[in-house]
Amino acid sequence: MCGLFGTSRNPNSCSGAAACIEEESTGNGTLACLQRGYRADAAFVPELSGELFTRGEVGLIWARITVKGDPEHASGYVGVGTNAIERAMALWPYIKALEAKWNERKSEVPLYCDHPFPVRVNIGEIHGGEWTSSVPASAALNVRVGLMPGFTQEEARREIEDAVKNGGRDDPYLSNNPPAIEYFGHMSAGYFVKHAEVPEDILRRAHAKITGTTMREVVTSASSDTRYFNLYQDTWGVNYGPTVEKARGFDERVDLESVKRVTKTMALFLAEWCGLADDRA
């Protein structure tokens, strides 16, 4: 779930809050809000960012590569069949190779030039097999692919499909039984925050007042719902939140002092944005 704060500079209608589901799975909760016509002058997304202003985020593509096998009993007393799981895993090195290839192009995106590893290609799920003593009839790899700003989904999909095709080219079975590729869930472009000089300046002052430090920026290899405001509504959207450790790990945790600072910073931002006095903040 992603908390969204839509704000207006009209003091009589200064803010509204929404909690949209599916930020992790698709982002379609936020997209649905925008499609229904909800609009504000700014959107403040408190996604975990280490108290940094998130200048840019990658896009995301989820792809499912499915291989159909030729099932038989594992004993091979009739034949040996074709193991779908083994064939699917043989494709993975070709898909993973896209990561290094795309990261070599980071110089084409100036704000990402100094990022150590902007694009990640991750195999997040493997589904396959029907019974331990049977040669698997099917297998699927669910893959998450990052996409730097400026690179199109069409270009990335074409390269994913070429990688799968190249992986099966020298395999007699796969060349005659090509894997299927399905895109599901995430399909979004990367972005940079734009048209944001005024709210950025307000946030920078609020951050300085609460933390006593100059607000720093970051470009990230992750993505958040902020993209929809920037890409499709031409609305200033910022991802600015507290510090996290071991994100999505067994012992994920958030720094509570950081949560307090971010909460105060958000309050000061909203107060000035809406034209309210901030002497009580």
Side-chain angles (χ1 to χ4, degrees):
M1 181 175 290
C2 182
L4 305 173
F5 294 83
T7 67
S8 167
R9 303 213 78 183
N10 180 356
N12 297 316
S13 177
C14 69
S15 67
C20 300
I21 64 169
E22 296 303 329
E23 186 266 343
E24 290 290 354
S25 296
T26 60
N28 287 344
T30 298
L31 186 58
C33 285
L34 304 188
Q35 288 178 324
R36 292 187 68 177
Y38 296 105
R39 188 181 183 95
D41 298 327
F44 199 122
V45 180
E47 184 74 23
L48 303 165
S49 72
E51 300 179 58
L52 302 174
F53 178 86
T54 306
R55 173 63 62 190
E57 297 183 357
V58 300
L60 287 183
I61 293 177
W62 281 5
R64 179 178 294 118
I65 297 92
T66 301
V67 174
K68 298 295 184 182
D70 180 17
E72 292 191 20
H73 193 279
S75 66
Y77 68 89
V78 176
V80 294
T82 299
N83 190 307
I85 294 176
E86 292 178 355
R87 288 298 196 277
M89 290 306 301
L91 298 173
W92 173 239
Y94 294 86
I95 302 168
K96 182 67 172 179
L98 293 172
E99 187 176 78
K101 178 181 179 182
W102 289 339
N103 279 315
E104 288 176 356
R105 298 180 61 185
K106 66 181 183 179
S107 60
E108 299 175 27
V109 187
L111 285 178
Y112 273 89
C113 283
D114 295 327
H115 193 290
F117 218 77
V119 174
R120 300 284 180 175
V121 177
N122 179 66
I123 180 170
E125 298 175 73
I126 303 174
H127 302 273
E130 298 75 33
W131 182 50
T132 305
S133 286
S134 178
V135 173
S138 66
L141 310 179
N142 286 1
V143 178
R144 181 259 201 202
V145 176
L147 191 64
M148 280 186 288
F151 290 76
T152 67
Q153 297 102 310
E154 292 77 16
E155 179 182 5
R157 289 200 302 265
R158 184 173 61 252
E159 293 201 45
I160 292 169
E161 291 159 15
D162 287 345
V164 172
K165 186 183 298 182
N166 291 336
R169 180 169 293 155
D170 296 328
D171 185 302
Y173 180 82
L174 288 179
S175 61
N176 289 296
N177 300 272
I181 302 177
E182 171 191 2
Y183 299 102
F184 68 105
H186 282 286
M187 178 64 70
S188 60
Y191 79 93
F192 294 118
V193 176
K194 58 183 180 180
H195 304 157
E197 290 78 7
V198 173
E200 278 185 45
D201 188 52
I202 295 173
L203 180 59
R204 193 169 285 109
R205 290 199 301 273
H207 173 94
K209 186 170 184 178
I210 296 302
T211 68
T213 65
T214 300
M215 185 175 71
R216 295 184 294 121
E217 298 183 358
V218 66
V219 292
T220 176
S221 57
S223 186
S224 76
D225 281 356
T226 319
R227 64 186 180 277
Y228 288 130
F229 300 97
N230 284 275
L231 289 173
Y232 307 133
Q233 205 180 53
D234 198 26
T235 294
W236 177 82
V238 64
N239 175 21
Y240 174 92
T243 299
V244 64
E245 295 180 8
K246 303 289 288 184
R248 305 304 180 266
F250 290 125
D251 53 351
E252 177 178 357
R253 53 192 177 270
V254 180
D255 186 312
L256 295 181
E257 292 304 315
S258 178
V259 171
K260 294 176 184 178
R261 287 192 297 271
V262 167
T263 302
K264 293 176 181 178
T265 299
M266 289 174 62
L268 285 182
F269 172 86
L270 290 170
E272 182 170 347
W273 181 261
C274 297
L276 306 176
D278 64 1
D279 54 351
R280 293 175 297 170

